[in-house]
Amino acid sequence: SATRTVTLAAARITSTPVQNVGTIGAAGNRVGYFLFNDHITTSEAQLIAAVNKLKEDGGIQDLVLDMRYNGGGQLNIASRLAYMVAAPATTAGKTFELMSFNDKNPFRLSLAQTLVPFLTTSRTGQPLPTLGLSRVTVLTGPDTCSASESVINSLRGVGVTVNLVGGTTCGKPYGFYPQ
């Protein structure tokens, strides 16, 4: 019930959406792991570095992708992640996600404008590395949302086995186009 005065100062905060990249197991039975917390622009370079590290560590046969705290974000980042997990032949010519709108959508987008392919290059046009996996284990929870669900569903849609471990996800409750 007492009044208190607090002074806040602006500060630059740097987010590290990809963390704890590592492998366990012997060659030929190696499992990779990383925590992925946010589908934001700066995560692209971190995801590329994580995939390259897993490849440099002798390659992996399985991946544990921890998205328990990933509330989503950009579908282009999700598409690039899904492409890097799967084999290029698995995603070639396939749709990552297709947005579907009701008649209240003011944008009147064409089919081509609502289709998100599996993106094979970075934002700068560089080819993305791939792990070429046919299965992945995703750690989930109630904070696994939106673009994280798109990664799960798109991989399943192209035949990658996705094992979910953890709590129920929140789904893909909405989408938007930044203006």
Side-chain angles (χ1 to χ4, degrees):
S1 64
T3 301
R4 192 167 85 163
T5 301
V6 177
T7 302
L8 301 176
R12 181 173 293 275
I13 304 295
T14 303
S15 175
T16 307
V18 179
Q19 301 174 31
N20 305 323
V21 180
T23 58
I24 60 169
N29 194 24
R30 196 175 283 297
V31 178
Y33 169 90
F34 64 87
L35 173 67
F36 181 41
N37 285 331
D38 206 359
H39 290 81
I40 57 177
T41 303
T42 55
S43 70
E44 180 182 281
Q46 294 174 25
L47 288 167
I48 292 168
V51 168
N52 282 329
K53 180 174 181 0
L54 295 176
K55 290 176 77 163
E56 289 167 9
D57 286 351
I60 59 172
Q61 287 66 53
D62 288 295
L63 174 66
V64 176
L65 178 57
D66 190 344
M67 293 199 292
R68 289 175 290 173
Y69 315 107
N70 192 320
Q74 299 174 30
L75 285 178
N76 285 347
I77 298 295
S79 172
R80 288 181 174 105
L81 172 58
Y83 172 78
M84 288 190 282
V85 167
T90 303
T91 59
K94 304 282 178 60
T95 298
F96 171 76
E97 180 160 306
L98 179 64
M99 295 286 209
S100 178
F101 297 95
N102 63 23
D103 60 357
K104 295 179 183 176
N105 178 358
F107 299 113
R108 304 288 180 242
L109 301 173
S110 69
L111 177 63
Q113 291 172 306
T114 61
L115 186 139
V116 179
F118 282 90
L119 298 173
T120 62
T121 60
S122 69
R123 289 177 32 247
T124 61
Q126 298 301 309
L128 294 172
T130 60
L131 296 170
L133 300 175
S134 60
R135 106 181 137 237
V136 62
T137 298
V138 180
L139 303 183
T140 62
D143 296 324
T144 307
C145 302
S146 203
S148 299
E149 284 280 347
S150 294
V151 171
I152 294 165
N153 293 331
S154 69
L155 287 171
R156 284 180 168 165
V158 295
V160 173
T161 301
V162 180
N163 299 306
L164 299 181
V165 176
T168 302
T169 64
C170 77
K172 176 110 176 80
Y174 60 87
F176 72 96
Y177 290 96
Q179 300 298 307

PDB file of all heavy atoms in Angstrom, residues 117-133:
ATOM      1  N   PRO A 117       6.696 -21.320 -49.524  1.00  0.00           N
ATOM      2  CA  PRO A 117       7.436 -22.529 -49.889  1.00  0.00           C
ATOM      3  C   PRO A 117       8.470 -22.878 -48.824  1.00  0.00           C
ATOM      4  O   PRO A 117       8.707 -22.101 -47.898  1.00  0.00           O
ATOM      5  CB  PRO A 117       8.135 -22.111 -51.193  1.00  0.00           C
ATOM      6  CG  PRO A 117       8.372 -20.647 -51.010  1.00  0.00           C
ATOM      7  CD  PRO A 117       7.189 -20.134 -50.223  1.00  0.00           C
ATOM      8  N   PHE A 118       9.092 -24.024 -48.951  1.00  0.00           N
ATOM      9  CA  PHE A 118      10.271 -24.328 -48.139  1.00  0.00           C
ATOM     10  C   PHE A 118      11.404 -23.480 -48.715  1.00  0.00           C
ATOM     11  O   PHE A 118      11.801 -23.669 -49.866  1.00  0.00           O
ATOM     12  CB  PHE A 118      10.635 -25.817 -48.218  1.00  0.00           C
ATOM     13  CG  PHE A 118       9.784 -26.695 -47.370  1.00  0.00           C
ATOM     14  CD1 PHE A 118       8.624 -27.251 -47.878  1.00  0.00           C
ATOM     15  CD2 PHE A 118      10.134 -26.971 -46.064  1.00  0.00           C
ATOM     16  CE1 PHE A 118       7.826 -28.062 -47.091  1.00  0.00           C
ATOM     17  CE2 PHE A 118       9.344 -27.789 -45.266  1.00  0.00           C
ATOM     18  CZ  PHE A 118       8.186 -28.334 -45.791  1.00  0.00           C
ATOM     19  N   LEU A 119      11.880 -22.539 -47.946  1.00  0.00           N
ATOM     20  CA  LEU A 119      12.918 -21.633 -48.424  1.00  0.00           C
ATOM     21  C   LEU A 119      14.279 -22.309 -48.315  1.00  0.00           C
ATOM     22  O   LEU A 119      14.622 -22.877 -47.281  1.00  0.00           O
ATOM     23  CB  LEU A 119      12.890 -20.339 -47.625  1.00  0.00           C
ATOM     24  CG  LEU A 119      11.576 -19.555 -47.762  1.00  0.00           C
ATOM     25  CD1 LEU A 119      11.552 -18.371 -46.811  1.00  0.00           C
ATOM     26  CD2 LEU A 119      11.375 -19.097 -49.202  1.00  0.00           C
ATOM     27  N   THR A 120      15.048 -22.233 -49.393  1.00  0.00           N
ATOM     28  CA  THR A 120      16.319 -22.951 -49.486  1.00  0.00           C
ATOM     29  C   THR A 120      17.538 -22.053 -49.341  1.00  0.00           C
ATOM     30  O   THR A 120      18.659 -22.543 -49.313  1.00  0.00           O
ATOM     31  CB  THR A 120      16.406 -23.693 -50.833  1.00  0.00           C
ATOM     32  OG1 THR A 120      16.360 -22.725 -51.888  1.00  0.00           O
ATOM     33  CG2 THR A 120      15.253 -24.671 -50.992  1.00  0.00           C
ATOM     34  N   THR A 121      17.291 -20.744 -49.268  1.00  0.00           N
ATOM     35  CA  THR A 121      18.394 -19.800 -49.129  1.00  0.00           C
ATOM     36  C   THR A 121      18.117 -18.855 -47.962  1.00  0.00           C
ATOM     37  O   THR A 121      16.970 -18.654 -47.564  1.00  0.00           O
ATOM     38  CB  THR A 121      18.596 -18.963 -50.406  1.00  0.00           C
ATOM     39  OG1 THR A 121      17.402 -18.235 -50.687  1.00  0.00           O
ATOM     40  CG2 THR A 121      18.969 -19.832 -51.600  1.00  0.00           C
ATOM     41  N   SER A 122      19.184 -18.263 -47.457  1.00  0.00           N
ATOM     42  CA  SER A 122      19.052 -17.271 -46.386  1.00  0.00           C
ATOM     43  C   SER A 122      18.481 -15.980 -46.960  1.00  0.00           C
ATOM     44  O   SER A 122      18.316 -15.848 -48.180  1.00  0.00           O
ATOM     45  CB  SER A 122      20.422 -17.000 -45.759  1.00  0.00           C
ATOM     46  OG  SER A 122      21.242 -16.310 -46.704  1.00  0.00           O
ATOM     47  N   ARG A 123      18.229 -15.017 -46.090  1.00  0.00           N
ATOM     48  CA  ARG A 123      17.740 -13.719 -46.540  1.00  0.00           C
ATOM     49  C   ARG A 123      18.734 -13.051 -47.482  1.00  0.00           C
ATOM     50  O   ARG A 123      18.357 -12.238 -48.309  1.00  0.00           O
ATOM     51  CB  ARG A 123      17.489 -12.801 -45.330  1.00  0.00           C
ATOM     52  CG  ARG A 123      16.303 -13.216 -44.518  1.00  0.00           C
ATOM     53  CD  ARG A 123      16.066 -12.368 -43.258  1.00  0.00           C
ATOM     54  NE  ARG A 123      16.445 -10.986 -43.344  1.00  0.00           N
ATOM     55  CZ  ARG A 123      17.436 -10.424 -42.649  1.00  0.00           C
ATOM     56  NH1 ARG A 123      18.160 -11.128 -41.819  1.00  0.00           N
ATOM     57  NH2 ARG A 123      17.713  -9.148 -42.774  1.00  0.00           N
ATOM     58  N   THR A 124      20.009 -13.381 -47.354  1.00  0.00           N
ATOM     59  CA  THR A 124      21.039 -12.790 -48.205  1.00  0.00           C
ATOM     60  C   THR A 124      21.275 -13.598 -49.474  1.00  0.00           C
ATOM     61  O   THR A 124      22.166 -13.273 -50.259  1.00  0.00           O
ATOM     62  CB  THR A 124      22.356 -12.649 -47.434  1.00  0.00           C
ATOM     63  OG1 THR A 124      22.798 -13.950 -47.033  1.00  0.00           O
ATOM     64  CG2 THR A 124      22.194 -11.746 -46.225  1.00  0.00           C
ATOM     65  N   GLY A 125      20.510 -14.672 -49.667  1.00  0.00           N
ATOM     66  CA  GLY A 125      20.625 -15.474 -50.878  1.00  0.00           C
ATOM     67  C   GLY A 125      21.615 -16.613 -50.811  1.00  0.00           C
ATOM     68  O   GLY A 125      21.835 -17.305 -51.816  1.00  0.00           O
ATOM     69  N   GLN A 126      22.215 -16.850 -49.661  1.00  0.00           N
ATOM     70  CA  GLN A 126      23.177 -17.946 -49.514  1.00  0.00           C
ATOM     71  C   GLN A 126      22.446 -19.272 -49.344  1.00  0.00           C
ATOM     72  O   GLN A 126      21.437 -19.334 -48.641  1.00  0.00           O
ATOM     73  CB  GLN A 126      24.077 -17.702 -48.302  1.00  0.00           C
ATOM     74  CG  GLN A 126      24.912 -16.441 -48.401  1.00  0.00           C
ATOM     75  CD  GLN A 126      25.809 -16.454 -49.623  1.00  0.00           C
ATOM     76  OE1 GLN A 126      26.536 -17.406 -49.868  1.00  0.00           O
ATOM     77  NE2 GLN A 126      25.737 -15.388 -50.415  1.00  0.00           N
ATOM     78  N   PRO A 127      22.929 -20.349 -49.957  1.00  0.00           N
ATOM     79  CA  PRO A 127      22.290 -21.667 -49.762  1.00  0.00           C
ATOM     80  C   PRO A 127      22.329 -22.075 -48.288  1.00  0.00           C
ATOM     81  O   PRO A 127      23.328 -21.869 -47.608  1.00  0.00           O
ATOM     82  CB  PRO A 127      23.154 -22.619 -50.600  1.00  0.00           C
ATOM     83  CG  PRO A 127      23.916 -21.738 -51.534  1.00  0.00           C
ATOM     84  CD  PRO A 127      24.074 -20.413 -50.857  1.00  0.00           C
ATOM     85  N   LEU A 128      21.233 -22.645 -47.816  1.00  0.00           N
ATOM     86  CA  LEU A 128      21.153 -23.089 -46.424  1.00  0.00           C
ATOM     87  C   LEU A 128      21.751 -24.482 -46.267  1.00  0.00           C
ATOM     88  O   LEU A 128      21.580 -25.335 -47.149  1.00  0.00           O
ATOM     89  CB  LEU A 128      19.697 -23.123 -45.965  1.00  0.00           C
ATOM     90  CG  LEU A 128      18.986 -21.775 -45.880  1.00  0.00           C
ATOM     91  CD1 LEU A 128      17.497 -21.974 -45.615  1.00  0.00           C
ATOM     92  CD2 LEU A 128      19.609 -20.906 -44.812  1.00  0.00           C
ATOM     93  N   PRO A 129      22.423 -24.734 -45.147  1.00  0.00           N
ATOM     94  CA  PRO A 129      22.899 -26.092 -44.880  1.00  0.00           C
ATOM     95  C   PRO A 129      21.722 -26.981 -44.501  1.00  0.00           C
ATOM     96  O   PRO A 129      20.684 -26.483 -44.055  1.00  0.00           O
ATOM     97  CB  PRO A 129      23.838 -25.898 -43.683  1.00  0.00           C
ATOM     98  CG  PRO A 129      23.280 -24.712 -42.965  1.00  0.00           C
ATOM     99  CD  PRO A 129      22.726 -23.813 -44.044  1.00  0.00           C
ATOM    100  N   THR A 130      21.855 -28.277 -44.689  1.00  0.00           N
ATOM    101  CA  THR A 130      20.776 -29.202 -44.315  1.00  0.00           C
ATOM    102  C   THR A 130      21.341 -30.375 -43.526  1.00  0.00           C
ATOM    103  O   THR A 130      22.485 -30.772 -43.716  1.00  0.00           O
ATOM    104  CB  THR A 130      20.030 -29.748 -45.543  1.00  0.00           C
ATOM    105  OG1 THR A 130      20.950 -30.454 -46.375  1.00  0.00           O
ATOM    106  CG2 THR A 130      19.367 -28.628 -46.335  1.00  0.00           C
ATOM    107  N   LEU A 131      20.490 -30.905 -42.640  1.00  0.00           N
ATOM    108  CA  LEU A 131      20.853 -32.090 -41.866  1.00  0.00           C
ATOM    109  C   LEU A 131      20.400 -33.372 -42.550  1.00  0.00           C
ATOM    110  O   LEU A 131      20.916 -34.440 -42.260  1.00  0.00           O
ATOM    111  CB  LEU A 131      20.249 -31.992 -40.459  1.00  0.00           C
ATOM    112  CG  LEU A 131      20.786 -30.831 -39.618  1.00  0.00           C
ATOM    113  CD1 LEU A 131      19.956 -30.664 -38.340  1.00  0.00           C
ATOM    114  CD2 LEU A 131      22.255 -31.045 -39.287  1.00  0.00           C
ATOM    115  N   GLY A 132      19.406 -33.273 -43.425  1.00  0.00           N
ATOM    116  CA  GLY A 132      18.941 -34.433 -44.171  1.00  0.00           C
ATOM    117  C   GLY A 132      18.300 -35.506 -43.310  1.00  0.00           C
ATOM    118  O   GLY A 132      18.466 -36.694 -43.566  1.00  0.00           O
ATOM    119  N   LEU A 133      17.552 -35.097 -42.283  1.00  0.00           N
ATOM    120  CA  LEU A 133      16.967 -36.057 -41.344  1.00  0.00           C
ATOM    121  C   LEU A 133      15.579 -36.516 -41.798  1.00  0.00           C
ATOM    122  O   LEU A 133      14.819 -35.762 -42.394  1.00  0.00           O
ATOM    123  CB  LEU A 133      16.868 -35.431 -39.956  1.00  0.00           C
ATOM    124  CG  LEU A 133      18.199 -34.989 -39.343  1.00  0.00           C
ATOM    125  CD1 LEU A 133      17.960 -34.266 -38.031  1.00  0.00           C
ATOM    126  CD2 LEU A 133      19.126 -36.184 -39.157  1.00  0.00           C
TER     127      LEU A 133
END
